[in-house]
């Protein structure tokens, strides 16, 4: 498998004969401030050993040009040994020294070394992002996780800049109008975990100290950075408080001192993902620096990401998976630990409610695609790896780990983790290594558990089966299990009845193991039938649940009366799954949201309900009812906005939802809010909300381009440019759609953030007629996009332009025709199209249900 991809077999062949002693990397980015200069000089020195002297191998490098290659003092001709993606090496010695000088490219896609110019002040910023395999865009590497080595970075940068990397800087030397930053060697880490951040970043510093069990003191310098123009909004104190709370928690539980010296957290522009766990130099998307008012859910979400990345310092960085098959060994654990530590160590106590309502919805969706996979996946190559950063690897894996903790016990689980870290520190592992440690500390054989939960795919459906006598007492209660591989579930069953104040409260809880196709619950026989039976109460297992008819009737009349917020969130989640599965009409789901969302106390749940009700209207409601549904939703949202407590998070959430549901009869209000001639008590129309109001007008064809550009003059920032692009693409004209399509498809000049903004504006639910004509061009461009663009951008184009809103049998047939006609297309590309096709089929089924 030559070229940019790398197969598991090729990686194994290299690992069989090579061990890497060290990397020394010198990057000269002094040219970065000149936008006309497209490349920077990269010099890599790799010392490695070979157990098969005389054999051949290759190193990975994606670069426009290679200046020189020297292997053990022997000069190799770059024109002969470099093919654009790999440098071929032959005649290896037992001990080898490789030196490669290359001209590497500054990136605009968020892969490799990304360059960004701040429109607010003209300053230039750089940062790297490498996972899973983009270090090779910046320096020559053996790009696979099991060839760990210490890294020593040297960076030449403009004199006014600061530079951050994994190690602490040991020396800074002035050389004319540049400074040379010399960093200390790291501990052995994988190539994808290395990082460099450079530019005139604003920085806030702090320090963490801790007494260790051996009597010594651990000292960790802390830093938090962002662009200078974001400094007025940077709440570094809150970020560093969560950081210290996390360090306390993980040291208490893991009993292994943080091993990477300092702890920098860099908030960077145009970042493709939430964050990346580079040891000593964690990178975050700068949207976590809030320019305008956000809800408590946003702060909770940021804290979760901070703790998620911190967990990786142990799960992923200290101990790393051997190959991407075991990606879950780091991501599932970090996802679980993000929520677990949040509850244990911080003020954010709704983490498990958010997990049940949002993260698991992601997992359920992914796990029902025809492309679903086990948590321990079969990752054939790097393209497979890129697509497996998904809801199964993260949220399903975390759900399964939550059940594992309940199964083996908290103490045994954490003691197993401690043994795992000590046994495999700075090494690489597979599933068996972790199970071995957990079996030792728990005394349980986990072979069957791992086979059922980690090595099979799909989600089980659990349904209560209740028989009663003439007096309404339960004569038999059973839990039926369906859905592929039947698994053992440790779960709780909650029985809810009405209290004197009318709320639904739990009156009985039974915890048991559900196994096989049908499990009888003897503990519930003889009791009066409760108003509501909630399977998987407390969210102990990973499953979809259904309701008996009596319980469903209770939810239809009283869902908002459930007193416990987690039970209420689980009920909402199950109702949403009924809607997605084409069992409950979409209009019924929207009706439930309009009747009960206004009393929802948990802001994160409320914001999920907003998103899901809009999805129900756009995708799952019968097309002939969508106009009526849109009117009902818009009126209901405005009613709740006016009723919300002034200045509250709930008011802000309803205001933002209004911008996505506003009807033509409410556009005058939108204009008035922007102009200041209309007001809603307590609602501050700050910059982010202004852009959302402009988007509502633009989508309705009620915003002129000149007005939108005038708003950019008011907010001439990176966020402002993205919002303007989104608004322009969202206008309901053929010209706007053609411009957005062309900007993304016909050129690779746009940065990743503006690619995303154009795609977001292109497809609007009320504009299906304007984009229907792009169906054939979409399928015609797929293979060329996949071949010519970086995988990050290709994934955005393929997934973002897929015609999901064209919910017709003709669209489904077009997807089927492409899949049938392109059996040899890249498997990762076919996977994206298959998932889009499945979304279409699901929408058509749900629409049929909604028609009745």
């Amino acid at each position: 498998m030559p070229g940019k991809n790398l197969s598991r077999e090729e990686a194994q062949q290299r690992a069989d004969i090579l061990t890497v002693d060290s990397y020394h990397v010198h990057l000269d980015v002094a040219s970065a401030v000149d936008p006309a200069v497209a490349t920077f000089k990269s010099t890599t020195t790799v010392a490695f050993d070979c157990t098969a002297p005389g054999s051949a191998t290759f190193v990975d490098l994606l670069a426009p040009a290679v200046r020189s290659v020297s292997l053990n003092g022997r000069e190799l001709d770059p024109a002969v040994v470099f093919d654009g993606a790999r440098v071929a090496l032959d005649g290896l010695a037992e001990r080898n020294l490789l030196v490669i000088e290359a001209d590497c490219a500054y990136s605009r896609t968020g892969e490799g070394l990304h360059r960004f110019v701040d429109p607010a002040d003209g300053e230039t910023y750089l940062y790297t992002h490498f996972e899973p395999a983009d270090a090779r865009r910046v320096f020559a590497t053996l790009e696979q996780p099991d060839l760990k080595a210490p890294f020593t970075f040297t960076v030449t940068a403009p004199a006014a800049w600061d530079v951050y990397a994994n190690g602490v800087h040991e020396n800074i030397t002035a050389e004319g109008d540049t400074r040379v930053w010399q960093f200390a060697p790291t501990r052995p880490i994988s190539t994808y975990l290395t990082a460099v951040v450079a530019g005139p970043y604003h920085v806030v510093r702090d320090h963490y100290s801790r007494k260790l069990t051996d009597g010594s003191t651990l000292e960790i310098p802390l830093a938090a950075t962002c662009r200078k123009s974001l400094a007025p909004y940077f709440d570094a104190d809150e970020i560093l408080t969560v950081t210290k709370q996390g360090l306390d928690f993980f040291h208490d539980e893991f009993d292994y001192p943080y091993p990477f010296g300092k702890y920098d957290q860099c908030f960077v522009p145009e970042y493709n993902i939430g964050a990346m766990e580079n040891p000593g130099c964690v990178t975050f998307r700068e949207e976590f620096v809030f320019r305008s008012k956000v809800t408590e859910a946003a702060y909770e979400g940021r804290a979760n990401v901070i703790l998620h990345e911190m967990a990786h310092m142990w799960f992923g960085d200290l101990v790393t998976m051997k190959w991407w098959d075991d990606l879950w060994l780091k991501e599932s654990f970090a996802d679980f630990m993000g929520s677990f530590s949040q509850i244990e160590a911080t003020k954010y106590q709704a983490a498990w409610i958010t997990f049940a309502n949002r993260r698991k919805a992601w997992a359920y969706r992914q796990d029902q695609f025809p492309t679903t996979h086990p948590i321990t996946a079969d990752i054939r190559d790097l393209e497979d790896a890129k697509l497996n950063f998904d809801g199964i690897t993260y949220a399903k894996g975390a759900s399964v780990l939550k059940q594992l903790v309940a199964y083996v016990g908290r103490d045994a689980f954490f003691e197993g983790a401690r043994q795992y870290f000590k046994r495999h520190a700075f090494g690489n592992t597979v599933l068996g290594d972790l199970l071995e440690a957990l079996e030792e500390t728990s005394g349980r054989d986990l072979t069957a558990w791992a086979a059922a939960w980690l090595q099979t795919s799909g989600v089980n459906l659990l349904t209560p089966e209740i028989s009663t006598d003439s007096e309404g007492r339960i004569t038999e209660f059973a839990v039926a299990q369906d859905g592929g591989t039947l698994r053992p579930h440790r779960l709780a069953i909650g029985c809810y009845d009405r209290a004197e104040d009318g709320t639904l409260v739990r009156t009985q809880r039974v915890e048991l193991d559900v196994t096989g196709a049908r499990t009888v619950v003897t503990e519930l026989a003889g009791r009066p039938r409760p108003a509501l039976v909630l399977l998987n109460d407390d969210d102990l297992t990973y499953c979809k649940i259904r309701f008996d008819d009596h319980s469903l009737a209770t939810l239809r009349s009283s869902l908002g009366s459930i007193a416990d917020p987690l039970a209420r969130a689980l009920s909402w989640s199950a109702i949403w799954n009924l809607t997605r599965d084409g069992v409950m009409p979409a209009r019924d789901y929207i009706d439930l949201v309009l009747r009960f969302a206004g009393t929802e106390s948990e802001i994160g749940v409320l914001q999920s309900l907003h998103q899901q009700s809009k999805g129900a209207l756009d995708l799952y409601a019968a097309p002939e009812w969508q106009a009526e549904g849109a009117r009902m939703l818009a009126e209901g949202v405005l009613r709740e906005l006016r009723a919300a407590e002034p200045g509250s998070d709930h008011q802000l959430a309803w205001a933002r939802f209004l911008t996505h549901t506003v009807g033509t009869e409410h556009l005058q209000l939108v204009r008035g809010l922007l102009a200041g001639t209309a007001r809603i008590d307590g609602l501050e129309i700050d910059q982010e909300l202004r852009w959302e109001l402009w988007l509502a007008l633009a989508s309705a064809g009620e915003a002129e381009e000149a007005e939108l550009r005038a708003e950019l003059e008011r907010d001439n920032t990176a966020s402002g440019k993205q919002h303007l692009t989104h608004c322009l693409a969202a206008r309901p004209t053929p010209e706007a759609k053609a411009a957005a399509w062309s900007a993304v498809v016909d050129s690779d000049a746009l940065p990743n953030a503006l690619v995303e903004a154009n795609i977001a504006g292109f497809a609007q639910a009320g504009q299906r007629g304007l984009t229907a004509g792009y169906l054939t061009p979409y399928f015609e461009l797929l293979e060329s996009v996949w071949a010519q663009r970086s995988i990050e951008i290709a994934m955005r184009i393929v997934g973002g332009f897929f015609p999901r809103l064209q919910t017709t049998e003709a669209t489904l047939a077009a997807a089927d025709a492409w899949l049938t006609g392109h059996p040899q297309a890249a498997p990762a590309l076919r996977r994206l199209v298959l998932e889009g096709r499945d979304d279409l089929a699901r929408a058509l089924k749900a629409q049929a249900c909604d028609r009745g």
Side-chain angles (χ1 to χ4, degrees):
M1 189 179 295
K4 294 181 182 180
N5 212 342
L6 174 72
S7 72
R8 179 173 49 203
E9 289 70 26
E10 290 176 310
Q12 182 62 56
Q13 289 165 9
R14 285 201 299 200
D16 286 344
I17 64 170
L18 303 182
T19 55
V20 186
D21 298 320
S22 66
Y23 284 85
H24 286 74
V25 179
H26 185 182
L27 306 178
D28 185 346
V29 296
S31 63
V33 293
D34 184 351
V37 178
T39 62
F40 58 93
K41 184 179 179 182
S42 169
T43 304
T44 309
T45 302
V46 191
F48 63 97
D49 296 342
C50 177
T51 60
S55 62
T57 191
F58 62 92
V59 298
D60 304 287
L61 179 63
L62 297 175
V66 172
R67 299 186 181 194
S68 65
V69 180
S70 172
L71 176 62
N72 300 325
R74 174 167 55 100
E75 296 298 324
L76 306 180
D77 184 357
V80 174
V81 300
F82 179 58
D83 66 359
R86 297 177 176 186
V87 178
L89 306 175
D90 60 8
L92 298 179
E94 183 178 352
R95 300 186 64 81
N96 299 275
L97 189 68
L98 174 69
V99 182
I100 296 179
E101 292 187 5
D103 293 326
C104 294
Y106 293 112
S107 168
R108 294 294 279 139
T109 67
E111 303 153 295
L113 182 63
H114 187 84
R115 177 168 58 179
F116 170 84
V117 178
D118 190 340
D121 56 18
E123 296 281 13
T124 300
Y125 293 88
L126 304 177
Y127 66 86
T128 59
H129 180 72
F130 295 154
E131 191 176 35
D134 284 318
R136 56 192 173 150
R137 296 181 184 274
V138 177
F139 55 90
T141 76
L142 294 151
E143 191 80 282
Q144 56 193 77
D146 60 343
L147 290 178
K148 286 186 166 183
F151 284 80
T152 302
F153 280 96
T154 303
V155 180
T156 301
W161 285 17
D162 288 330
V163 181
Y164 304 84
N166 303 96
V168 299
H169 64 264
E170 290 187 322
N171 189 44
I172 305 173
T173 305
E175 293 186 1
D177 58 357
T178 68
R179 289 193 294 175
V180 179
W181 295 67
Q182 179 70 45
F183 292 89
T186 69
R187 302 298 295 271
I189 58 177
S190 301
T191 55
Y192 77 90
L193 291 169
T194 56
V196 172
V197 176
Y201 283 90
H202 168 75
V203 61
V204 177
R205 299 190 183 277
D206 205 336
H207 199 85
Y208 176 84
S209 298
R210 181 183 179 87
K211 284 286 187 182
L212 300 178
T213 53
D214 63 3
S216 62
T217 301
L218 177 67
E219 304 285 354
I220 305 176
L222 307 177
T225 77
C226 70
R227 289 186 289 121
K228 287 194 300 184
S229 63
L230 285 178
Y233 314 105
F234 195 37
D235 56 336
D237 288 348
E238 166 67 12
I239 291 166
L240 292 168
T241 294
V242 173
T243 302
K244 293 176 184 178
Q245 291 169 334
L247 287 169
D248 277 340
F249 173 83
F250 290 119
H251 281 102
D252 287 342
E253 298 298 342
F254 291 165
D255 191 31
Y256 193 106
Y258 172 73
F260 299 110
K262 66 182 177 67
Y263 201 80
D264 298 337
Q265 296 175 100
C266 302
F267 293 77
V268 298
E270 298 183 333
Y271 204 51
N272 284 328
I273 60 173
M276 181 63 205
E277 67 267 19
N278 316 303
C281 189
V282 184
T283 42
F284 296 83
R285 66 186 297 117
E286 69 178 17
E287 284 77 5
F288 287 125
V289 180
F290 304 124
R291 298 195 312 152
S292 296
K293 182 179 178 180
V294 296
T295 68
E296 184 75 359
Y299 289 101
E300 177 201 308
R302 182 179 66 183
N304 184 284
V305 174
I306 290 170
L307 296 169
H308 175 119
E309 302 311 319
M310 189 178 292
H312 274 311
M313 301 299 125
W314 290 267
F315 280 109
D317 296 2
L318 176 66
V319 184
T320 312
M321 68 274 157
K322 181 178 177 64
W323 177 248
W324 300 102
D325 292 349
D326 284 306
L327 175 63
W328 81 280
L329 278 174
K330 71 184 189 77
E331 294 302 348
S332 298
F333 273 88
D335 217 47
F336 168 74
M337 284 296 173
S339 296
F340 191 96
S341 61
Q342 206 168 11
I343 293 287
E344 297 271 325
T346 78
K347 66 182 180 181
Y348 302 105
Q349 295 299 296
W352 287 127
I353 297 172
T354 302
F355 182 84
N357 192 254
R358 296 181 72 91
R359 298 298 280 183
K360 291 182 82 170
W362 180 29
Y364 294 144
R365 177 174 183 265
Q366 191 75 47
D367 211 9
Q368 294 175 88
F369 280 139
T371 57
T372 188
H373 57 85
I375 295 173
T376 53
D378 179 23
I379 304 299
R380 296 160 295 186
D381 53 46
L382 292 178
E383 288 190 359
D384 277 357
K386 183 72 173 177
L387 266 66
N388 266 42
F389 289 82
D390 60 16
I392 295 171
T393 301
Y394 283 73
K396 180 181 179 180
S399 302
V400 168
L401 287 176
K402 187 180 181 186
Q403 182 180 121
L404 178 62
V405 173
Y407 180 56
V408 303
R410 172 182 169 143
D411 291 345
F413 176 82
F414 278 104
E415 182 57 32
R418 295 178 197 117
Q419 296 302 320
Y420 177 72
F421 297 142
K422 291 169 184 175
R423 192 172 300 168
H424 301 288
F426 303 107
N428 296 87
T429 58
V430 295
L431 166 63
D433 298 312
L434 177 66
L435 294 182
E436 179 182 0
L438 291 172
E439 286 177 339
E440 290 175 8
T441 57
S442 69
R444 291 180 179 268
D445 183 349
L446 297 177
T447 305
W449 177 87
W453 280 106
L454 302 179
Q455 297 167 336
T456 62
S457 61
V459 56
N460 294 128
L461 178 66
L462 302 184
T463 305
E465 296 180 347
I466 306 172
S467 300
T468 59
D469 61 19
S470 59
E471 296 181 352
R473 293 188 174 274
I474 295 175
T475 56
E476 184 183 65
F477 189 111
V479 179
Q481 179 179 188
D482 196 2
T485 301
L486 302 185
R487 302 181 179 90
H489 295 267
R490 185 69 182 175
L491 61 79
I493 300 172
C495 297
Y496 288 77
D497 290 290
R498 295 191 186 279
E500 290 184 2
D501 62 0
T503 59
L504 286 165
V505 297
R506 189 165 66 192
T507 55
Q508 187 174 357
R509 179 184 185 274
V510 176
E511 187 169 327
L512 73 158
D513 292 315
V514 168
T515 58
R518 194 171 190 271
T519 302
V520 176
V521 186
T522 58
E523 295 92 331
L524 294 178
R527 66 151 287 158
R529 183 173 196 149
L532 169 66
V533 171
L534 181 60
L535 299 186
N536 196 30
D537 204 1
D538 297 326
D539 199 33
L540 299 183
T541 192
Y542 172 81
C543 65
K544 291 197 303 181
I545 63 168
R546 295 290 195 246
F547 300 101
D548 62 283
D549 290 343
H550 186 73
S551 295
L552 187 56
T554 298
L555 290 175
R556 286 182 181 275
S557 67
S558 310
L559 195 159
S561 299
I562 301 173
D564 180 70
L566 178 56
R568 201 167 56 245
L570 291 169
S571 298
W572 277 118
S573 174
I575 292 290
W576 176 238
N577 281 323
L578 285 171
T579 307
R580 290 192 73 247
D581 291 347
V583 177
M584 173 179 281
R587 65 190 70 190
D588 288 6
Y589 179 82
I590 292 169
D591 175 66
L592 286 169
V593 170
L594 290 176
R595 286 193 288 125
F596 299 125
T599 59
E600 175 55 54
S601 63
E602 300 303 311
I603 188 63
V605 174
L606 176 63
Q607 289 175 291
S608 290
L609 296 177
H610 289 167
Q611 180 182 14
Q612 290 167 353
S613 58
K614 186 67 165 68
L617 176 66
D618 294 345
L619 295 173
Y620 304 145
E624 60 271 21
W625 184 80
Q626 286 177 356
E628 173 64 14
R631 184 193 62 76
M632 291 172 53
L633 195 58
E635 290 181 356
V637 170
L638 182 58
R639 181 176 63 249
E640 295 296 345
L641 171 59
R642 294 192 184 280
E645 180 184 349
S648 66
D649 280 1
H650 286 66
Q651 183 189 56
L652 178 60
W654 285 109
R656 288 183 170 168
F657 192 35
L658 177 69
T659 67
H660 295 282
T661 58
V662 63
T664 55
E665 64 273 25
H666 305 129
L667 293 176
Q668 185 176 353
L669 171 64
V670 172
R671 278 225 171 255
L673 291 171
L674 279 167
T677 57
R679 64 188 302 271
I680 295 173
D681 286 347
L683 182 64
E684 178 186 354
I685 310 300
D686 56 26
Q687 188 57 63
E688 288 297 309
L689 187 51
R690 286 185 63 84
W691 277 117
E692 292 189 63
L693 292 166
W694 277 117
L695 179 61
L697 293 175
S699 300
E702 296 294 329
E704 298 295 333
E705 181 173 347
E707 294 180 292
L708 298 172
R709 294 196 179 278
E711 189 67 23
L712 180 63
E713 292 179 12
R714 175 191 177 109
D715 181 33
N716 188 24
T717 64
S719 294
K721 289 182 67 174
Q722 293 166 31
H723 284 304
L724 173 67
T725 302
H726 190 176
C727 288
L728 291 175
R731 292 173 298 162
T733 67
E735 294 79 12
K737 302 309 171 188
W741 176 273
S742 178
V744 172
V745 170
D746 297 335
S747 170
D748 61 359
L750 284 183
N752 51 339
L754 296 187
V755 168
E756 183 176 357
N758 271 296
I759 291 174
F762 179 83
Q764 303 290 312
Q767 303 172 5
R768 289 179 172 89
L770 289 169
T771 56
Y774 291 88
L775 182 65
T776 299
Y778 169 81
F779 286 108
E780 289 176 345
L781 65 79
L782 289 179
E783 288 191 294
S784 62
V785 162
W786 199 261
Q788 295 168 14
R789 299 295 186 90
S790 72
I791 189 168
E792 182 68 39
I793 299 301
M795 286 170 59
R796 293 188 183 212
I797 294 173
V798 174
F801 278 139
F802 188 93
R804 281 182 176 82
L805 291 172
Q806 304 293 335
T807 50
T808 66
E809 293 291 346
T811 311
L812 194 66
D816 286 338
W818 187 90
L819 289 164
T820 301
H822 297 81
Q824 302 305 315
L829 171 58
R830 285 183 55 84
R831 171 177 169 172
L832 290 172
V833 176
L834 274 166
E835 291 176 357
R837 188 259 181 221
D838 191 71
D839 276 340
L840 274 175
R842 180 178 290 273
L844 289 169
K845 178 183 176 183
Q847 288 178 5
C849 170
D850 191 57
R851 287 190 184 94

